[in-house]
């Protein structure tokens, strides 16, 4: 298998990258980790006229924790999963990263590449939705900040990024006080794409849930689960509230059928995984932020 012919550029700065995107527009593809794009090129599912390799743009790789957690788009998944700053601010992120492929994949894959690729089975878009994350998108014409729910489209492998925009940074606000997390996914084998998964962040005052945010993946696209969240806020932690949230999650989830499972099966998985993630969060209570 060989990709279709393309021109290649390897910029060393954000400014140079933006100039190339402005010049080539919809005919260009940005290569970050390449763990998803390269197979698509080889299968000729993607046929860009120009490939822009940003692996030499060192300024896009960083982690900064000072209230808001800021992560450069080219930060590798291994660095993300092993960062003490990330684990201290939002331990749900390393919990999710540990489920992404295998170490060789995480060594090359990047947070920005994962978000911009928008694979519906990817963990990070849903996790960042639950954390109220946002991204910075830059072009030669300026910069804008996009919330995760506004970035992700309900179409396969598409986002609201423009043809000349580069995702440069991920921003995640500090977690609510007394928050805790749970993360659950189901795959046929560890390292396989998940059939479904849930990230849960809750905060409590005593035994009363004061904040609930749940992100789900494995359907047609990553999504928040508002009915499940509404069932939790104001309720007492425990089986009754978690069961109600599970039912709400199944109702919210944009399920889909494929060779690996029916839509009904995935909806059932989301219901079960939501309950499990919330039980994880209850067990993790007092052990850190979301």
């Amino acid at each position: 298998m060989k990709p279709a012919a393309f021109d290649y550029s390897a910029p060393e700065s954000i400014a140079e990258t933006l100039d190339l995107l402005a010049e080539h527009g919809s005919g260009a593809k940005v290569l970050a980790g390449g763990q998803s794009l390269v197979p698509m090129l080889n299968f000729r599912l993607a046929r860009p006229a120009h490939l822009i390799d940003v692996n030499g743009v060192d300024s896009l790789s960083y982690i900064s924790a000072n209230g808001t957690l800021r992560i450069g788009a080219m930060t590798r998944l291994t660095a993300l999963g092993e960062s003490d700053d990330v684990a201290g601010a939002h331990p749900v992120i390393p919990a999710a990263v540990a489920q992404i492929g295998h170490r060789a994949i995480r060594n090359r894959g990047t947070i920005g590449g994962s978000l911009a690729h928008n694979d519906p089975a990817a963990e990070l878009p849903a996790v960042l939705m639950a954390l109220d994350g946002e991204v910075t998108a830059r072009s030669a014409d300026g910069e804008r900040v996009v919330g995760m729910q506004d970035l992700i489209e309900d179409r396969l492998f598409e986002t609201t990024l423009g043809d000349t925009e580069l995702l440069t940074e991920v921003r995640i606000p500090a977690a609510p006080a007394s928050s805790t997390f749970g993360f659950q996914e189901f795959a046929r084998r560890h390292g396989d794409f998940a059939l479904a998964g849930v990230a849960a962040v809750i905060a409590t005052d005593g035994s009363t849930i004061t904040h609930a945010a749940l992100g789900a993946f494995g359907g047609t696209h990553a999504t928040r689960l508002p009915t499940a969240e509404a069932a939790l806020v104001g309720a007492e932690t425990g089986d009754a509230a978690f069961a109600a949230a599970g039912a709400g999650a199944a109702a919210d989830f944009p399920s889909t059928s494929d060779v690996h499972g029916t839509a009904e099966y995935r909806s059932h998985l989301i219901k079960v995984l939501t309950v499990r993630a919330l039980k994880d969060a209850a067990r993790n209570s007092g052990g850190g932020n979301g």
Side-chain angles (χ1 to χ4, degrees), residues 190-284:
H190 178 74
D192 283 3
F193 287 112
L195 273 69
V198 176
V201 179
I202 62 172
T204 58
D205 181 2
S207 61
T208 302
I209 300 170
T210 57
H211 168 85
L214 293 92
F217 57 98
T220 59
H221 56 92
T223 186
R224 285 280 290 263
L225 301 172
T227 304
E229 294 169 357
L232 291 166
V233 175
E236 299 294 304
T237 56
D239 291 345
F242 297 165
D252 288 334
F253 185 60
S255 198
T256 185
S257 296
D258 59 21
V259 296
H260 303 299
T262 63
E264 292 76 14
Y265 176 60
R266 279 190 166 86
S267 292
H268 174 72
L269 278 178
I270 284 295
K271 178 179 180 179
V272 172
L273 294 173
T274 296
V275 173
R276 290 180 181 176
L278 291 168
K279 288 183 176 180
D280 282 350
R283 284 191 292 268
N284 289 332

Side-chain angles (χ1 to χ4, degrees), residues 1-268:
M1 295 177 287
K2 295 181 179 180
F6 55 81
D7 292 327
Y8 174 84
S9 296
E12 296 183 352
S13 69
I14 294 174
E16 187 181 354
T17 304
L18 298 183
D19 287 343
L20 286 165
L21 286 169
E23 178 181 356
H24 297 286
S26 60
K29 278 284 189 182
V30 175
L31 175 69
Q35 301 304 290
S36 298
L37 179 57
V38 169
M40 293 182 72
L41 291 171
N42 288 339
F43 281 113
R44 302 200 175 194
L45 297 174
R47 292 171 175 250
H50 202 106
L51 196 66
I52 304 173
D53 183 348
V54 294
N55 280 274
V57 185
D58 294 336
S59 61
L60 287 173
S61 180
Y62 58 86
I63 296 172
S64 173
N66 184 16
T68 297
L69 183 65
R70 294 174 180 263
I71 305 167
M74 282 298 294
T75 301
R76 306 290 175 181
L77 299 179
T78 294
L80 187 67
E82 295 179 351
S83 166
D84 290 338
D85 286 336
V86 172
H90 298 290
V92 68
I93 295 177
V97 167
Q99 302 301 316
I100 299 175
H102 301 284
R103 188 173 183 89
I105 298 293
R106 298 191 293 272
N107 286 347
R108 293 298 302 169
T110 65
I111 185 171
S114 176
L115 300 182
H117 185 58
N118 188 25
D119 189 316
E123 289 85 353
L124 291 180
V127 170
L128 293 181
M129 281 186 181
L131 295 174
D132 293 321
E134 56 191 21
V135 303
T136 300
R138 291 181 61 178
S139 72
D141 297 323
E143 176 181 300
R144 66 189 180 109
V145 176
V146 186
M148 279 304 305
Q149 293 187 80
D150 294 323
L151 176 71
I152 298 301
E153 298 245 280
D154 60 0
R155 290 175 289 176
L156 191 66
F157 304 131
E158 293 193 28
T159 70
T160 58
L161 289 173
D163 291 334
T164 62
E165 286 186 313
L166 177 69
L167 195 161
T168 56
E169 184 179 75
V170 178
R171 302 175 184 174
I172 309 170
S178 303
S179 64
T180 184
F181 80 95
F183 181 84
Q184 287 281 330
E185 71 172 50
F186 180 80
R188 291 170 298 166
R189 297 167 298 184
H190 178 74
D192 283 3
F193 287 112
L195 273 69
V198 176
V201 179
I202 62 172
T204 58
D205 181 2
S207 61
T208 302
I209 300 170
T210 57
H211 168 85
L214 293 92
F217 57 98
T220 59
H221 56 92
T223 186
R224 285 280 290 263
L225 301 172
T227 304
E229 294 169 357
L232 291 166
V233 175
E236 299 294 304
T237 56
D239 291 345
F242 297 165
D252 288 334
F253 185 60
S255 198
T256 185
S257 296
D258 59 21
V259 296
H260 303 299
T262 63
E264 292 76 14
Y265 176 60
R266 279 190 166 86
S267 292
H268 174 72

